[in-house]
Short mmCIF file of all heavy atoms in Angstrom, two decimals:
data_model
loop_
_atom_site.label_atom_id
_atom_site.label_comp_id
_atom_site.label_asym_id
_atom_site.label_seq_id
_atom_site.Cartn_x
_atom_site.Cartn_y
_atom_site.Cartn_z
N TRP A 63 29.98 -98.86 30.38
CA TRP A 63 29.65 -97.80 31.33
C TRP A 63 28.35 -97.18 30.86
O TRP A 63 28.29 -96.63 29.77
CB TRP A 63 30.77 -96.76 31.35
CG TRP A 63 30.65 -95.80 32.47
CD1 TRP A 63 29.99 -94.60 32.46
CD2 TRP A 63 31.21 -95.93 33.77
NE1 TRP A 63 30.10 -94.00 33.67
CE2 TRP A 63 30.84 -94.80 34.51
CE3 TRP A 63 31.97 -96.92 34.40
CZ2 TRP A 63 31.21 -94.62 35.83
CZ3 TRP A 63 32.34 -96.74 35.71
CH2 TRP A 63 31.97 -95.60 36.42
N ASP A 64 27.34 -97.25 31.66
CA ASP A 64 26.02 -96.80 31.22
C ASP A 64 25.93 -95.29 31.23
O ASP A 64 26.06 -94.66 32.28
CB ASP A 64 24.94 -97.41 32.12
CG ASP A 64 23.56 -97.08 31.59
OD1 ASP A 64 23.48 -96.58 30.44
OD2 ASP A 64 22.58 -97.29 32.31
N ARG A 65 25.71 -94.70 30.07
CA ARG A 65 25.58 -93.24 30.00
C ARG A 65 24.21 -92.82 29.48
O ARG A 65 24.04 -91.69 29.04
CB ARG A 65 26.65 -92.65 29.07
CG ARG A 65 28.04 -92.73 29.61
CD ARG A 65 29.00 -91.87 28.84
NE ARG A 65 30.34 -92.09 29.35
CZ ARG A 65 31.13 -93.06 28.95
NH1 ARG A 65 30.74 -93.87 28.00
NH2 ARG A 65 32.32 -93.22 29.47
N GLY A 66 23.27 -93.71 29.48
CA GLY A 66 21.95 -93.33 29.00
C GLY A 66 21.85 -93.45 27.49
O GLY A 66 22.81 -93.84 26.82
N PRO A 67 20.68 -93.09 26.96
CA PRO A 67 20.39 -93.37 25.55
C PRO A 67 21.13 -92.47 24.56
O PRO A 67 21.22 -92.77 23.40
CB PRO A 67 18.89 -93.14 25.44
CG PRO A 67 18.58 -92.20 26.55
CD PRO A 67 19.54 -92.50 27.65
N TYR A 68 21.68 -91.35 25.04
CA TYR A 68 22.23 -90.40 24.08
C TYR A 68 23.75 -90.43 23.99
O TYR A 68 24.34 -89.62 23.31
CB TYR A 68 21.78 -88.97 24.42
CG TYR A 68 20.28 -88.79 24.31
CD1 TYR A 68 19.48 -88.73 25.44
CD2 TYR A 68 19.69 -88.70 23.06
CE1 TYR A 68 18.12 -88.58 25.33
CE2 TYR A 68 18.32 -88.55 22.94
CZ TYR A 68 17.53 -88.48 24.08
OH TYR A 68 16.19 -88.32 23.96
N ALA A 69 24.37 -91.32 24.70
CA ALA A 69 25.82 -91.37 24.65
C ALA A 69 26.27 -92.83 24.64
O ALA A 69 25.55 -93.71 25.11
CB ALA A 69 26.42 -90.64 25.84
N PRO A 70 27.43 -93.09 24.08
CA PRO A 70 27.90 -94.48 23.99
C PRO A 70 28.18 -95.07 25.36
O PRO A 70 28.50 -94.36 26.30
CB PRO A 70 29.19 -94.35 23.18
CG PRO A 70 29.59 -92.93 23.29
CD PRO A 70 28.36 -92.13 23.48
N ASP A 71 28.07 -96.38 25.42
CA ASP A 71 28.21 -97.07 26.70
C ASP A 71 29.59 -97.68 26.90
O ASP A 71 29.76 -98.59 27.71
CB ASP A 71 27.15 -98.18 26.81
CG ASP A 71 25.77 -97.58 27.00
OD1 ASP A 71 25.72 -96.41 27.39
OD2 ASP A 71 24.78 -98.27 26.74
N GLN A 72 30.56 -97.23 26.14
CA GLN A 72 31.89 -97.79 26.31
C GLN A 72 32.64 -96.97 27.36
O GLN A 72 32.65 -95.75 27.32
CB GLN A 72 32.63 -97.74 24.97
CG GLN A 72 33.97 -98.42 25.01
CD GLN A 72 34.36 -98.95 23.63
OE1 GLN A 72 33.52 -99.51 22.93
NE2 GLN A 72 35.60 -98.80 23.26
N ALA A 73 33.26 -97.69 28.31
CA ALA A 73 33.87 -96.98 29.44
C ALA A 73 34.98 -96.05 28.99
O ALA A 73 35.06 -94.92 29.42
CB ALA A 73 34.40 -97.99 30.46
N VAL A 74 35.84 -96.53 28.11
CA VAL A 74 36.93 -95.69 27.60
C VAL A 74 36.77 -95.61 26.10
O VAL A 74 36.85 -96.63 25.41
CB VAL A 74 38.30 -96.25 27.96
CG1 VAL A 74 39.40 -95.41 27.33
CG2 VAL A 74 38.48 -96.30 29.47
N LEU A 75 36.51 -94.43 25.59
CA LEU A 75 36.24 -94.30 24.17
C LEU A 75 36.75 -92.95 23.68
O LEU A 75 36.46 -91.91 24.26
CB LEU A 75 34.74 -94.41 23.89
CG LEU A 75 34.33 -94.24 22.43
CD1 LEU A 75 34.82 -95.41 21.60
CD2 LEU A 75 32.82 -94.13 22.31
#
Side-chain angles (χ1 to χ4, degrees):
Chain A
W63 191 269
D64 186 11
R65 290 194 185 85
Y68 296 104
D71 289 341
Q72 186 152 318
V74 176
L75 178 68

